[in-house]
Amino acid sequence: MTEALHQVTILGATGSIGQSTLDVLSRHPEKFALFAVSANTHVDKMLEICQQHTPRYAVMADIASAEILSEKLGAKSQTTVLGGAAALQQIASDDEVDSVMAAIVGAVGLMPTLAAVRAGKHVLLANKEALVMAGDLFMQEVRQHNALLLPIDSEHNAIFQCLPADYPQGLKSKGVTRILLTGSGGPFRQLPLDQFDAITPEQAIAHPNWSMGPKISVDSATMMNKGLELIEACFLFDVPQQDVEIVLHPQSIIHSMVAYNDGSVLAQMGQPDMRTPIANALGWPERIVSGVEPLNLIEVSQLNFAAADEKRFPCLRLARQAIQRGGSCMAILNAANEVAVQSFLAHKIAFTRIAEIIESTMNMVESHRADNLQIILQDDQAARACATALTEQ
Ligand code: NAD
Ligand code: MG
């Protein structure tokens, strides 16, 4: 008897993570079937995906884009096209789906990702913003609905691989003393500070090691990405922020480490290619081929480490502050960052304004206990309004 194929939904299929996921899936047609894919407005890319991979459903969050896609695919297509936010939640929670790759960028990914969690799916989490803005609630829902949360962010996937399988029982009881979260430091690790004002979006999105979407590339350049990842690690692994150390590692070969009470430090290494964590999560608990080139350590030859400088990267300080303040402050930090990054990418504000706008927004918008989603979404909106006004000053 042949085993039933594992049905996969990809939220954010046209993006960088979405494309890497399709690449890994296409290497294992005997294991996986593509149930559904989603995108926002990128109709041409979606058309290509539908023609190449024939998913059962294709959802465009933007309804007008769904109509255009439907016309382009034609009546004979095997793919049903749907549009709008409710359809995103439907393909994330459908009874037939086994795994959901959550790879929408930003806070808009929260509701469809939560829908997958609430349906008890295997949730492959790339969309770190969802966890940053609603971490406590998100993790509660994971436990309540018995969802399996598999981290895709390379650092968190590395930590996951370096922890024992029963780590949710508590890291302390497993002998873990510290998590070492590595980051390359991005393109401006050594740029003289007096040149930061003149940084252009084109320079900021040119990451030295990773090829990623524009928002996370800017986050890597400000190191807000590491700040968001710090918050992500605290929620995913239930550790206090003092136990997470950020370590600069410019080669991006070690993807993070876990230190134990006997002095052991376990590291996960590999090429900087997201297909490794994606394959790890798709295949878990088995290992499957990802298409990533083997690592040649002789060629790499050096692994360097340094401390992260909060003066150069004020976003790191702001992320730690948001954790300390707690509640919806992390949603406020995230929302202000999304607004400021969009504005920088649109050439409206200088690079150094990003951190300033986040800090001012955190000081101006009151945060609350994040007991329910409504409060979080309200504070997210208030932070967006505040940050938008600041970008226009
Ligand atoms: P991307 O910009 O390349 O792709 C984003 C995807 O989200 C696209 O498919 C887009 O259509 C969709 N999307 C955007 N706005 C939307 C909206 N309003 N409604 C519905 N869908 C929308 O981004 P990416 O680099 O693939 O990153 C995706 C997520 O994964 C982010 O949260 C990022 O932080 C995280 N991540 C990415 C990488 C990476 O290497 N790219 C690594 C770690 C984590
Ligand atoms: Mg990462």
Side-chain angles (χ1 to χ4, degrees):
M1 205 178 77
T2 51
E3 252 183 71
L5 294 179
H6 192 93
Q7 299 286 332
V8 180
T9 284
I10 306 177
L11 301 170
T14 53
S16 159
I17 293 286
Q19 293 291 296
S20 295
T21 307
L22 287 167
D23 181 279
V24 176
L25 288 178
S26 67
R27 292 166 196 274
H28 303 280
E30 75 300 344
K31 262 190 180 358
F32 302 104
L34 192 59
F35 180 80
V37 286
S38 88
N40 189 22
T41 53
H42 204 335
V43 172
D44 290 342
K45 190 92 208 170
M46 194 56 137
L47 183 65
E48 207 182 291
I49 293 173
C50 292
Q51 286 163 345
Q52 266 179 27
H53 302 272
T54 49
R56 225 155 346 131
Y57 295 94
V59 174
M60 302 303 292
D62 175 61
I63 298 204
S65 301
E67 281 165 17
I68 303 173
L69 177 68
S70 183
E71 256 169 47
K72 289 198 173 181
L73 270 172
K76 287 202 194 112
S77 167
Q78 292 169 32
T79 301
T80 304
V81 178
L82 302 170
L88 285 180
Q89 296 192 30
Q90 195 196 317
I91 57 166
S93 58
D94 193 286
D95 275 350
E96 287 188 52
V97 173
D98 298 298
S99 290
V100 176
M101 168 58 77
I104 291 176
V105 60
V108 286
L110 176 64
M111 294 316 291
T113 307
L114 265 187
V117 167
R118 288 171 175 160
K121 305 298 184 196
H122 288 196
V123 180
L124 284 57
L125 186 72
N127 177 214
K128 65 189 86 185
E129 295 91 348
L131 198 61
V132 167
M133 70 188 289
D136 273 330
L137 283 175
F138 193 101
M139 295 308 290
Q140 264 173 38
E141 300 257 15
V142 167
R143 287 187 291 271
Q144 189 180 336
H145 299 282
N146 226 358
L148 176 66
L149 195 53
L150 295 159
I152 294 297
D153 216 342
S154 57
E155 295 75 4
H156 306 75
N157 185 268
I159 295 162
F160 176 75
Q161 292 195 47
C162 295
L163 286 172
D166 55 357
Y167 77 85
Q169 290 173 9
L171 297 201
K172 276 270 171 315
S173 70
K174 301 291 151 198
V176 173
T177 52
R178 243 172 347 134
I179 284 179
L180 303 169
L181 186 68
T182 53
S184 70
F188 310 129
R189 187 172 52 88
Q190 290 174 318
L191 187 77
L193 284 180
D194 61 4
Q195 292 178 27
F196 268 51
D197 260 337
I199 290 170
T200 65
E202 293 69 30
Q203 291 167 325
I205 60 177
H207 196 280
N209 305 340
W210 296 94
S211 152
M212 311 180 283
K215 190 261 178 183
I216 184 176
S217 297
V218 175
D219 285 348
S220 299
T222 61
M223 282 199 85
M224 180 52 95
N225 185 46
K226 217 44 61 183
L228 299 177
E229 289 182 355
L230 168 69
I231 301 173
E232 188 184 6
C234 292
F235 285 123
L236 273 178
F237 304 114
D238 194 21
V239 285
Q241 61 153 320
Q242 310 80 270
D243 293 352
V244 184
E245 188 181 332
I246 294 172
V247 179
L248 288 194
H249 165 48
Q251 291 88 359
S252 301
I253 294 296
I254 291 181
H255 298 307
S256 278
M257 297 173 260
V258 176
Y260 287 85
N261 54 9
D262 61 0
S264 300
V265 177
L266 303 195
Q268 186 264 353
M269 294 193 274
Q271 302 277 10
D273 185 324
M274 290 306 292
R275 289 177 300 174
T276 294
I278 290 168
N280 175 261
L282 276 173
W284 195 88
E286 283 165 30
R287 297 273 176 181
I288 60 169
V289 165
S290 66
V292 175
E293 289 287 302
L295 179 64
N296 182 335
L297 278 175
I298 309 294
E299 235 164 61
V300 173
S301 99
Q302 275 198 0
L303 300 176
N304 298 104
F305 306 96
D309 174 2
E310 291 192 355
K311 215 150 143 216
R312 176 174 287 271
F313 299 114
C315 288
L316 289 175
R317 172 176 55 79
L318 296 175
R320 288 211 185 263
Q321 214 173 73
I323 302 175
Q324 269 156 11
R325 292 190 193 173
S328 65
C329 197
M330 288 165 275
I332 293 170
L333 167 104
N334 177 66
N337 180 55
E338 284 187 24
V339 170
V341 169
Q342 282 316 318
S343 179
F344 168 69
L345 281 169
H347 295 267
K348 287 189 193 147
I349 60 165
F351 184 78
T352 44
R353 286 282 290 145
I354 298 174
E356 289 169 10
I357 285 170
I358 300 165
E359 184 155 26
S360 301
T361 305
M362 282 169 67
N363 291 333
M364 288 163 77
V365 176
E366 193 188 341
S367 64
H368 299 91
R369 281 174 57 125
D371 303 326
N372 68 59
L373 214 50
Q374 213 184 340
I375 294 179
I376 294 172
L377 296 175
Q378 264 169 20
D379 289 353
D380 167 277
Q381 286 305 314
R384 278 170 207 274
C386 177
T388 304
L390 289 168
T391 61
E392 283 158 7
Q393 272 174 13

